[in-house]
Amino acid sequence: MPVSRRCFTGLAGLWAALSALPAWGAKQTGTDAGADSGSASEVTGRRAPALFIGHGDPMNILQDNRFTRDWDALAERFGAAATKPRAILMVSAHWETRGVAVSVAEKPAMIYDFYGFPDEMYQQNYPAPGAPEIAGSLTKAQFSQRIIADAGQGLDHGAWCVLMRLFPKADVPVFQFSLSRSMNAAEHFALGQELRQLREQGVMIIGSGNITHNMRSWQQDYRMGRTHLVHDWAKYFDAKVTDRINNREYAALADYLQYGRAAQMSVPTPEHYLPLLYVAASAYASEKAEYYAEGFEAGSFSMRSVLFNG
């Protein structure tokens, strides 16, 4: 999708803000930052990755299991100086607002937005700096939705539980982007397409949620002692979403209710699914999805992670 005049004007402020950050990648020539062909950015040399990660149980931050081992494999890929992003835009299932907001905090505070967990969980700390200049530039850009600055928002557990595994040194600036309750899925996807240009400036886009996420189903399974059984509706919906991604039918992901009962059970509320739309919307036509942490936590939570990295 070419860069519109309106988007180009708005992103000029972003480029100015990003120029103040350390250099990222080797510069290449003859590129077009907005082309669907997937060419690399003249500003950074390479575009930053986009990643949707199924975050599941917050306790994954302390555990060693097949899902966290895949997260650690991703951390090795992102940890090298040559591939480290300039900043991270984090779209978490756990920050919902009436309109669209972005955190401009210089030092995002930890948010322990859960209860009943071991004390060790409330002692976790992730002291990553914010990216107020970049985040603030989003509020001045002419996107399809007005973006409001929030100076008080810190990192919720959907953000820091993931980032502690992916970027354990906390040395990459992070700013959170909210999910607006007043927007439908197609509008979220459209806004994600506009934000895609951030990747060309070295900003990694991470969506943190779950493709299937049904707490009521899990609670019932827990009471009946059957959390080891994966529901057919969860397997069906996860497979259909994966088919759409493999076929590069990203816009169709916004029409998830077409899958009827499986969609209703997998996405009883949209907040854990919507971060996937931001990541899929930021994918380029030339990119092929890579999958990590495939499988299910209990019977109701898909842990599938999806990476777009050139």
Side-chain angles (χ1 to χ4, degrees):
M1 182 183 72
V3 182
S4 69
R5 181 180 297 275
R6 188 172 85 165
C7 252
F8 182 86
T9 301
L11 286 164
L14 292 176
W15 297 336
L18 285 159
S19 67
L21 292 171
W24 183 83
K27 184 176 180 180
Q28 299 178 8
T29 59
T31 62
D32 175 6
D36 274 348
S37 61
S39 55
S41 166
E42 290 185 4
V43 177
T44 64
R46 288 173 290 103
R47 73 172 59 94
L51 171 69
F52 173 79
I53 188 161
H55 65 233
D57 187 343
M59 287 292 292
N60 282 318
I61 191 60
L62 302 177
Q63 295 175 348
D64 175 28
N65 55 48
R66 62 191 178 107
F67 305 124
T68 62
R69 285 191 286 274
D70 269 4
W71 295 2
D72 293 342
L74 283 169
E76 290 185 10
R77 291 184 61 171
F78 301 146
T83 56
K84 187 179 299 181
R86 280 181 157 183
I88 296 168
L89 181 151
M90 170 64 71
V91 184
S92 167
H94 296 281
W95 188 26
E96 294 183 272
T97 52
R98 178 178 297 178
V100 184
V102 64
S103 173
V104 295
E106 292 186 6
K107 297 180 179 179
M110 297 285 283
I111 301 175
Y112 304 98
D113 49 341
F114 43 67
Y115 60 90
F117 282 78
D119 290 344
E120 187 176 1
M121 288 295 292
Y122 302 94
Q123 297 167 3
Q124 298 299 310
N125 187 36
Y126 190 75
E133 296 86 2
I134 304 172
S137 294
L138 287 176
T139 67
K140 302 171 185 176
Q142 299 180 40
F143 294 124
S144 58
Q145 306 287 335
R146 183 187 175 207
I147 301 173
I148 301 171
D150 187 323
Q153 177 67 22
L155 299 177
D156 62 54
H157 81 268
W160 60 261
C161 282
V162 167
L163 292 170
M164 288 182 76
R165 302 297 294 238
L166 297 180
F167 296 92
K169 295 181 180 179
D171 56 353
V172 179
V174 180
F175 60 108
Q176 280 205 230
F177 194 82
S178 78
L179 295 171
S180 171
R181 296 189 186 95
S182 63
M183 293 164 55
N184 62 35
E187 290 170 326
H188 283 287
F189 184 86
L191 182 55
Q193 287 183 307
E194 295 172 316
L195 293 171
R196 179 174 72 172
Q197 300 303 318
L198 287 169
R199 294 182 61 197
E200 300 296 337
Q201 313 310 317
V203 178
M204 183 176 183
I205 297 175
I206 299 181
S208 176
N210 291 98
I211 290 176
T212 72
H213 185 275
N214 191 320
M215 284 295 296
R216 180 173 295 181
S217 172
W218 174 83
Q219 289 168 347
Q220 184 177 14
D221 288 344
Y222 182 79
R223 288 193 298 268
M224 300 181 69
R226 62 182 190 191
T227 55
H228 61 290
L229 299 177
V230 180
H231 293 285
D232 288 341
W233 49 261
K235 290 186 287 187
Y236 176 83
F237 187 78
D238 181 73
K240 287 298 183 181
V241 167
T242 304
D243 286 343
R244 290 295 193 188
I245 295 171
N246 289 340
N247 293 328
R248 296 181 171 87
E249 298 172 335
Y250 304 130
L253 294 172
D255 186 23
Y256 61 91
L257 290 177
Q258 67 181 289
Y259 298 117
R261 181 180 178 276
Q264 294 168 5
M265 293 295 293
S266 297
V267 190
T269 55
E271 77 286 339
H272 277 76
Y273 182 78
L274 291 175
L276 172 67
L277 299 186
Y278 282 88
V279 172
S282 74
Y284 285 80
S286 62
E287 292 183 299
K288 182 178 180 180
E290 300 177 57
Y291 297 104
Y292 289 81
E294 297 174 271
F296 293 83
E297 188 175 69
S300 304
F301 308 115
S302 168
M303 293 295 288
R304 182 181 301 277
S305 296
V306 187
L307 173 68
F308 297 100
N309 193 27

